[in-house]
Amino acid sequence: MRRRILALASILAIALIFTATPLGRAILIEGRDRLVRWLDGNRPHGLADLDHRLTSAGLDPRDGVHLRIHKDEATLEIWIADGARHRLFSTLPICRWSGRLGPKLKEGDSQAPEGFFLVDRDGLNPNSAHHLSMNLGFPTPADRVQGRTGSFLMIHGGCLSVGCYAMTDAGIDQIYAVVERSIAAGKPVPVHVFPFRMTDAALADTRTSPWAADWAIMAKGWRLFEETGNPPPVAMCGAETIFERRRGCLDPAGRPI
């Protein structure tokens, strides 16, 4: 009995040490998600009340879905079209993202990307090693012109991330379900990833950042959504990102406009 108590105490002590650090907490959550996945045959765990919540809110993902990420808050917002505007349906915590505020520059820098992305059917992966995932499509056409490189930058399950946004399995279950329904209805999903809420005050506080010029452009798209309630059209004309459909430019997925 004494040995069992000592063993249990040791396990609890190790768990406490792990949870005292962000990486330790992420490893524990990742381990939990993988164990549950293995025991339950990869069944979804975040969908128990999703349809009820959608019905209660009077929202239908087939009308269109928009995802917004604010890195500094580690949050992902699910917005769903409701008439002439989108309405906030859910705000989910990001379990872990890697790097720091600022854009991804090159393959292997462990940096989670920022920018304007578009997820369509080809970006969905129901057989991901991270339970479920969706490819953001980095680098976008504008990133490529600037020489930025990287691949397979995802929103996915679990809690470990190298350049991706890890949402836990329960979190990605919800996100994937609404995104999949929107895409099936013919509405690809804009995913806009911001370093922070791009208010005038926040931009003033970061005016000396090396990324201030990038963020000033991103702020235009952020504000347009705040004003209209709809994700603005995004066109990439060489290295320039604009918020209107312009012939001869590309959408974030690289398709001609």
Side-chain angles (χ1 to χ4, degrees):
M1 177 65 71
R2 180 181 174 82
R3 287 184 178 178
R4 289 182 180 178
I5 292 173
L6 288 173
L8 179 59
S10 297
I11 291 170
L12 289 173
I14 292 170
L16 286 172
I17 291 171
F18 262 68
T19 55
T21 66
L23 179 58
R25 177 178 171 274
I27 291 171
L28 285 175
I29 293 172
E30 178 81 11
R32 178 205 65 191
D33 280 356
R34 286 180 179 268
L35 178 61
V36 171
R37 238 183 277 163
W38 178 71
L39 291 173
D40 288 0
N42 218 35
R43 288 186 304 170
H45 287 271
L47 303 181
D49 64 344
L50 178 62
D51 287 336
H52 173 72
R53 290 169 55 216
L54 286 167
T55 300
S56 296
L59 295 171
D60 187 340
R62 293 174 297 181
D63 294 331
V65 169
H66 174 42
L67 305 182
R68 291 180 110 197
I69 287 174
H70 296 99
K71 289 170 76 174
D72 68 332
E73 297 177 4
T75 57
L76 181 149
E77 298 172 345
I78 301 174
W79 293 77
I80 299 177
D82 180 25
R85 299 176 66 91
H86 283 62
R87 183 147 52 94
L88 181 63
F89 172 66
S90 182
T91 300
L92 298 173
I94 297 171
C95 196
R96 188 170 177 83
W97 60 270
S98 61
R100 60 192 69 186
L101 301 187
K104 182 173 182 65
L105 300 179
K106 62 182 179 180
E107 185 88 51
D109 64 4
S110 300
Q111 180 76 356
E114 298 171 1
F116 301 95
F117 306 99
L118 189 66
V119 175
D120 57 18
R121 189 179 302 277
D122 291 340
L124 298 179
N125 183 3
N127 302 306
S128 171
H130 298 281
H131 179 44
L132 297 168
S133 66
M134 56 192 71
N135 193 331
L136 290 173
F138 181 91
T140 66
D143 290 315
R144 290 193 186 96
V145 170
Q146 297 177 77
R148 296 175 179 175
T149 59
S151 56
F152 304 111
L153 282 305
M154 309 281 183
I155 299 171
H156 62 62
C159 193
L160 292 179
S161 165
V162 181
C164 299
Y165 294 95
M167 300 301 306
T168 75
D169 286 0
I172 196 63
D173 280 341
Q174 297 179 57
I175 299 163
Y176 196 97
V178 296
V179 167
E180 187 176 42
R181 293 179 198 182
S182 180
I183 292 171
K187 298 178 175 66
V189 174
V191 182
H192 295 177
V193 183
F194 302 102
F196 45 80
R197 295 188 183 274
M198 310 203 80
T199 62
D200 291 340
L203 291 170
D205 288 343
T206 57
R207 63 185 179 278
T208 60
S209 166
W211 309 119
D214 294 60
W215 292 343
I217 295 169
M218 294 182 66
K220 295 178 183 179
W222 189 88
R223 289 176 184 138
L224 283 169
F225 181 81
E226 294 292 302
E227 294 167 1
T228 68
N230 291 297
V234 177
M236 297 184 176
C237 312
E240 183 184 11
T241 297
I242 62 172
F243 302 100
E244 61 181 65
R245 293 184 62 83
R246 181 181 296 176
R247 187 178 297 276
C249 299
L250 303 175
D251 73 10
R255 296 185 293 250
I257 293 175

